[in-house]
Structure formats: C-alpha cells, structure tokens
Amino acid sequence: MQIKMKWVLLLAGALASNVFNSNAQTKHEFSLGDNAFMLDGKPFQMISGEIHYPRVPREAWRSRLKMAKAMGLNTIGTYVFWNLHEPQKGKFDFTGNNDIVEFVKIAQQEGLWVILRPSPYVCAEWEFGGYPYWLLTEKGLVVRSKEQQYLKEYESYIKEVGKRLAPLQVNHGGNVLMVQIENEYGSYGSDKEYLAINQRMFKDAGFDGLLYTCDPADDAKNGHLPGLLPAINGLDDPKKVKELVNSLHNGKGPYYIAEWYPAWFDWWGAPHHTIPAEKYAGRLDSVLSAGISINMYMFHGGTTRGFMNGANYKDTSPYEPQISSYDYDAPLDEAGNPTPKFMSFRDVIAKHLPAGVKLPQVPASKPSMSIPTISMGRSISLMSVLPKPVTNVTPLTFEDLKQDYGYVLYRTRITGGRKGMLKLSELRDYAVVMVNGKMIGTLDRRLKQDSLEVTLPKGPVTLDLMVENMGRINFGKYLLQNKKGITEKVLFNHKELKGWEMFSLPFADTKAIKFNSPSKIIEGPSIKKGTFTVTKLDDTYLDMTKWGKGVIWVNGHNLGKYWSIGPQQTLYLPAEWLKKGANEIIVLELLKPEASILSGIEKPILGKLQ
C-alpha cells in the first residue's frame, strides 16, 4: 500500500471518536473500496477486538470498552446469541445482561464502531453454538439448512433482532458498520442457495447496510456468497489474505481478518492454553502495515457463566466440554485487566498512528482481594429438594422433558442381592450413580465411560442416576446429535431397566431452594449455603481446589462451573456482584458432600490439572 494511503487509513481509525462526538445521530456511509473500507468516502482501517456482552457483567461493559480504546481499537465485534434472546420458543429477552442494544450504544458513546454477528449460529464455545435447545424438540427441524421449520424459526428470531439493532447501523445514525450472515458456514456446508436465503432474511429484518461472510481460509470458497465481502479467519499472512480475498471477490478487496487468534480456549482435563505476546506482535504489525482490517478473537473473553459452555466433538477426538473461564489468554484478562499482551499490542498499534495522535491512557488495573475462609453453614441433600417427577417406561431426554440445561435425576427400582454391569447407552454427558442414596461411582462421556460394575444389596434397591448436561456440541457435523440426558436406555446385566421417574433440576435460579432441614451427614450430591462479609468491593476468585464438581451462585448470580480435574481451579467473582456487608453463597456439589469451606484469593488459578 502506498505510504499516503496508509496514513489516511490510520488517521481515519485514530480519529473515529471525533465522528461520534460531532453528532451521534449523523448518518454515515460505509462501503467497499477496491482495497480498503470507505467511511464517508475516505479509506478506513478497522482495528477491532471481540467482546461478548453476556460474558461480561452489564455493570462492567463501559470499563471494558474504555480498555479497548486504550489499546488502540476503533471497533468492537460481538456475536448475538439466539439461545439467550429466545430461551423458550416465542419468548424473547433483551433485558439485563442480554441488553445488546445498550451494549452497542455504550460502545458508540465511547467512540467505538461495532461489527455485529447475529449469524444466527455463532459457535463461540457456546452451548449448541448459540442455538436454543428447543430447536431440538421441533420434529424434522434441521439447523443450517433450507428445511422449512428451521427457516421459519430463524426468520422469526432475526426479525426480533432486526427490530432492535437495524436502527443502529451507520446508515441510520448508529455505529454498526457491518453485519455478518451465518458464521464459518464453509466449515459445515456449501449450499449457496441457503446462504442467499440468509442474505434475504437479514435484509428483510432491516439490515440494509453492508453484509459479509466469514470462514477459515481453507473453507472460504464453500462459505462465501458471491457479491458479499469474504472475511477470513485464522490467516494473517498479508500476501495470502489478499490473494484469497481477490480470488473470491472479483480481484478486489477490501481485506478483513474477521477472527485473528492471539490465543485459544480451554476445555476440562486439558492444559491451559497460553501464547506469548512476542509470537503475535510482529504478525499484528505486518497485518496493519499492509492496510488489512482485523478483529482480534478474543480481545477480552470474560466468563461463560451459567450453563452456556459448549463442547467440541469429532470422530478423531473425545467429547471436550469447555470450562467456565473464557480468559482465552486474551490481551484483556478475565477480570478486565490489561496483560503484557495488551501492552505489547498497544505498542504495535501506537507505531501506526500519525505524528501527534496519542492513545488514551490505560486505565488502572482493578484491585482484587482475598476473602477469609467461608464456612458453608447449611447443607442439604439434593434428594430433599426434588420436584415432582415425570414418569415413563423408558428414560426421557432433557428435550423430552422440555428442559434446557442443568441436571436430571433418573430413578428406578430394581431387585437387589446381585452383581452385574450397569450400562447407560449414549450417556450425555456425566452421571453420578447412586444405590439407595449412596454414591457408588461416576460415568464420564469424555472418557467414553458408560458402564460400571455394580454390587446391589439385598432387598428392593433404588437406583438413582444424576445426569449432567456438560454442554451441547457447538461446532462441526454433530450439531443435530445434541440431545441430553440418557438418550437411549439403561441396561443391567444386558437387560433393559424400565419404569423410570425423572426429576428436572435445571437450576435456573436458587430462589426455590429451601434450607429448612438441619445440616446432617450427606452421602450424595448436596447443596450448601453460607454467608460472608466484605467491607470493600473488589474482585476476587473463589478457590475450589479442594472441592469436587459443581456450580456456584453468589447473591443470585451464577458464576459458572468448577471441577477439580482442572485446568480451571477458581471461579471469578466480579466486584460488581458483591455488596458491602453480608453476601450469600450457594454451592451445588456433586462429588464431595464433606466439603464445607472455601476462600477467595487475589489471583486466578487457570492452569492446574489434578
């Protein structure tokens, strides 16, 4: 690129905030030039970073976006998550931490453009790739296809998104520069008619600005829709990026790396992924020097709270459910603090600014604190809070029960006084096995464990199977094989067990849990409650090293899952969700009913396998 053109591009990026400050309602023109994006007729280079609004407490959105500006970003990328916004069919939610409209508006107030990715499939290491679980209950529905029921539900959803977000496009006075249709579709299929239907749906929903596709380099030919800009993921050799885009886009640019990976995500039982900044600083420099626009995935990962973690599964590898921390070894860490990678990338971006233009000062890191030992004063057996069961001859899946996430307790009664092999055919995904209320073992889909040698005591025996949905597959060809629970049958000594009660335990919130009975010795899964007092409101990390497996809520906020196998051993507790004085903590513990104390420490433990 000529030196003059490069300076114009970078000046456009550096002065983006002035465009916002002049008049937030001014309509802008954002278009494709032959080599660069054009903003109001002038070349513009996006230096973007991905942040997902549900992975950050709403109260912290603004501070995270200020950090983005301080690193030199002029744009923010985010997915839109269908399963959050339509958790049950026809029931939409854009409130609280789901208020993406407010997130985009705060970005505008902070002088940041936005790249919107409603998709509606997002991958994102997110439950079912962002699809709502209830799509699996629609008979014959086939995601990512021209199947009519899928297209009907998809259209209903995207119109709801369009009502709220289409008015925020730049051509309507907002800050949304571009909108992505589908997501890495080329890694899944190659149906251009299906992609064209996506394009039409987005336009019908009001997205009348620039639309684009994004795919890994090797799959870009499959996933590109002629006429739209093909963005590239995972490739950062400037020469190769330009050659690939030119081959798909009539010999023209502009050139956009929609997902540039400065690190990677983690899953249970595998090492924590870290990549030194020096391995990527030079690559960032070369891309920016070439005038290529870029979106860092992730700039700030945050936390996958609740039951929203996804999982990977391939024919060549085991089921891999992702952890709750989405730290990603990103430039901004899980708590929103700048890392050495942040400072290194900031130095690179600063090199490309025209003389006299300076980046904002980096806000101070947030303080963190340790919390003395928290004693869980109340403890009850999970069996004491079971809801009314659903009965059936054979086990029902989560989807049969109209249950989205969490756990289901399966119960049957059999004659004891014998020994044999218990087998759960197609278990999804983890089971605690109990005989007469006593835990005798676990089964784990990750390890391809579906059978257990069992010795039954004499007399009538109650067999309980506490089954956890560890996260629906979010990538690849198995998206439609995502039903949860006991998905086929249970055998004992090769004979099918029948006559089941199923207790739904979604744990959508903890308000309904009553700690009426006094604490006593518990042998199986348990729920514990405690309080702790703080005099200041700082971040902390709950140390779960000595616990087994479960979920934690503080003041009603689900902080995510913990599991002693690692690599994650702590759960991030944001200062924004604490209150001065007494705070309530509730823990669902599956494996270690004797565990009763924990503490908050100042730094996370994200790389310890046990």
Side-chain angles (χ1 to χ4, degrees):
M1 178 179 290
Q2 296 180 353
I3 297 295
K4 183 178 179 182
M5 175 66 78
K6 174 184 166 185
W7 273 63
V8 172
L9 281 167
L10 294 168
L11 183 62
L15 301 181
S17 60
N18 291 338
V19 177
F20 291 111
N21 294 336
S22 61
N23 185 349
Q25 296 304 311
T26 301
K27 294 181 181 179
H28 299 282
E29 183 182 343
F30 190 67
S31 59
L32 307 179
D34 287 352
N35 293 296
F37 291 106
M38 306 297 289
L39 179 61
D40 296 332
K42 297 178 181 179
F44 176 76
Q45 183 178 28
M46 282 184 286
I47 308 176
S48 177
E50 189 94 358
I51 302 177
H52 298 151
Y53 54 99
R55 284 178 158 136
V56 178
R58 178 183 175 129
E59 301 89 336
W61 285 345
R62 190 177 298 276
S63 65
R64 302 299 194 271
L65 294 170
K66 285 183 181 294
M67 282 290 187
K69 286 287 288 186
M71 198 179 83
L73 303 185
N74 56 31
T75 307
I76 291 296
T78 186
Y79 284 124
V80 186
F81 298 84
W82 186 355
N83 60 359
L84 292 185
H85 296 301
E86 194 180 3
Q88 300 293 338
K89 183 175 178 177
K91 297 180 180 178
F92 293 94
D93 181 7
F94 289 85
T95 64
N97 240 92
N98 295 343
D99 189 355
I100 185 174
V101 171
E102 182 64 15
F103 179 79
V104 172
K105 287 181 176 179
I106 292 174
Q108 185 172 29
Q109 292 161 13
E110 295 300 325
L112 290 159
W113 304 101
V114 167
I115 297 294
L116 199 64
R117 311 174 74 191
S119 299
Y121 162 78
V122 300
C123 186
E125 291 69 63
W126 195 265
E127 226 277 345
F128 199 7
Y131 283 127
Y133 89 98
W134 53 263
L135 291 180
L136 295 167
T137 71
E138 300 286 320
K139 188 175 181 180
L141 188 146
V142 181
V143 299
R144 309 188 85 176
S145 80
K146 293 180 291 192
E147 189 273 320
Q148 289 304 302
Q149 185 65 15
Y150 168 66
L151 294 178
K152 177 184 174 185
E153 303 298 351
Y154 173 3
E155 186 170 32
S156 172
Y157 160 71
I158 207 66
K159 283 184 176 178
E160 289 291 332
V161 172
K163 280 182 199 174
R164 294 161 174 84
L165 292 171
L168 302 183
Q169 296 171 105
V170 291
N171 51 323
H172 296 279
N175 57 326
V176 174
L177 293 176
M178 289 199 306
V179 179
Q180 177 187 303
I181 68 165
E182 249 291 349
N183 184 53
E184 297 187 321
Y185 174 70
S187 301
Y188 188 84
S190 58
D191 187 339
K192 304 299 183 182
E193 288 185 5
Y194 167 66
L195 287 173
I197 291 170
N198 279 257
Q199 180 185 29
R200 177 185 61 75
M201 282 189 180
F202 272 65
K203 287 184 175 180
D204 289 347
F207 292 111
D208 54 0
L210 272 185
L211 302 177
Y212 73 101
T213 59
C214 87
D215 293 280
D218 290 344
D219 302 319
K221 186 176 180 181
N222 288 339
H224 171 239
L225 181 64
L228 298 188
L229 176 72
I232 307 301
N233 295 352
L235 181 67
D236 59 7
D237 180 312
K239 184 173 182 288
K240 291 181 179 178
V241 169
K242 290 187 176 183
E243 286 176 351
L244 179 55
V245 173
N246 288 342
S247 72
L248 297 170
H249 202 228
N250 300 319
K252 300 178 181 179
Y255 310 101
Y256 178 42
I257 303 172
E259 292 187 12
W260 181 71
Y261 307 113
W264 205 241
F265 60 91
D266 292 335
W267 53 93
W268 293 113
H272 176 45
H273 293 84
T274 59
I275 302 177
E278 54 266 26
K279 285 198 172 184
Y280 278 89
R283 298 184 187 188
L284 177 61
D285 194 13
S286 66
V287 167
L288 295 182
S289 296
I292 294 172
S293 289
I294 192 168
N295 180 52
M296 298 177 191
Y297 192 102
M298 300 289 295
F299 162 68
H300 170 53
T303 310
T304 309
R305 297 181 177 86
F307 303 103
M308 285 296 116
N309 67 282
N312 279 325
Y313 180 77
K314 303 174 185 175
D315 294 325
T316 56
S317 62
Y319 172 74
E320 297 171 341
Q322 289 117 21
I323 67 173
S324 292
S325 171
Y326 204 59
D327 177 87
Y328 220 93
D329 194 35
L332 206 64
D333 71 13
E334 185 176 7
N337 295 314
T339 65
K341 190 174 287 182
F342 178 103
M343 302 308 294
S344 177
F345 289 178
R346 172 183 157 92
D347 289 344
V348 170
I349 294 169
K351 278 173 50 182
H352 294 272
L353 298 178
V357 177
K358 294 184 178 179
L359 294 176
Q361 187 173 352
V362 179
S365 293
K366 300 164 65 185
S368 60
M369 63 179 176
S370 60
I371 296 175
T373 299
I374 302 170
S375 179
M376 309 304 289
R378 305 302 302 274
S379 183
I380 57 173
S381 168
L382 182 72
M383 303 302 174
S384 68
V385 294
L386 296 179
K388 184 178 178 180
V390 173
T391 59
N392 200 61
V393 174
T394 55
L396 299 174
T397 65
F398 278 52
E399 293 74 21
D400 293 332
L401 296 166
K402 299 292 188 280
Q403 182 177 333
D404 45 13
Y405 316 114
Y407 310 81
V408 170
L409 182 79
Y410 294 83
R411 172 174 290 172
T412 192
R413 291 167 178 83
I414 56 178
T415 302
R418 50 198 174 127
K419 181 188 291 187
M421 185 65 70
L422 179 72
K423 178 181 173 66
L424 279 62
S425 183
E426 286 299 319
L427 167 67
R428 298 181 186 166
D429 301 296
Y430 185 90
V432 178
V433 182
M434 292 168 279
V435 171
N436 290 341
K438 183 177 181 180
M439 185 172 72
I440 61 168
T442 61
L443 298 172
D444 186 347
R445 180 184 180 187
R446 296 177 316 115
L447 306 177
K448 298 185 178 180
Q449 297 172 340
D450 65 357
S451 301
L452 183 69
E453 188 75 30
V454 175
T455 301
L456 300 177
K458 292 181 179 180
V461 169
T462 298
L463 175 66
D464 286 321
L465 306 169
M466 175 74 164
V467 177
E468 177 181 1
N469 166 7
M470 291 278 299
R472 291 183 178 87
I473 296 164
N474 59 259
F475 181 82
K477 65 181 181 179
Y478 292 107
L479 285 175
L480 285 170
Q481 296 178 32
N482 253 331
K483 290 191 175 182
K484 291 299 181 179
I486 298 174
T487 62
E488 289 190 1
K489 54 192 174 183
V490 180
L491 304 172
F492 184 72
N493 279 343
H494 307 291
K495 183 178 179 182
E496 184 176 359
L497 298 181
K498 296 187 176 180
W500 291 90
E501 294 177 298
M502 281 133 302
F503 302 85
S504 288
L505 298 162
F507 285 102
D509 62 56
T510 56
K511 297 186 184 74
I513 301 173
K514 305 298 182 186
F515 291 83
N516 296 329
S517 57
S519 297
K520 58 184 179 181
I521 296 175
I522 298 168
E523 296 195 28
S526 60
I527 307 171
K528 301 166 188 296
K529 181 179 180 181
T531 58
F532 61 96
T533 301
V534 296
T535 57
K536 58 180 180 178
L537 303 181
D538 291 336
D539 286 347
T540 192
Y541 301 87
L542 299 179
D543 183 0
M544 307 307 295
T545 310
K546 297 179 181 178
W547 289 64
K549 189 178 197 298
V551 184
I552 295 185
W553 295 261
V554 171
N555 296 330
H557 295 282
N558 188 318
L559 302 186
K561 295 181 177 182
Y562 64 90
W563 194 1
S564 60
I565 65 169
Q568 175 180 358
Q569 300 291 345
T570 52
L571 278 170
Y572 170 52
L573 174 50
E576 292 85 358
W577 290 349
L578 288 170
K579 51 190 178 184
K580 287 186 178 179
N583 293 261
E584 178 189 80
I585 179 169
I586 292 176
V587 181
L588 169 64
E589 168 59 52
L590 299 182
L591 305 178
K592 291 187 176 181
E594 71 278 8
S596 63
I597 59 173
L598 55 85
S599 60
I601 56 178
E602 292 185 14
K603 294 183 181 296
I605 304 171
L606 297 178
K608 183 179 179 181
L609 294 171
Q610 294 192 132

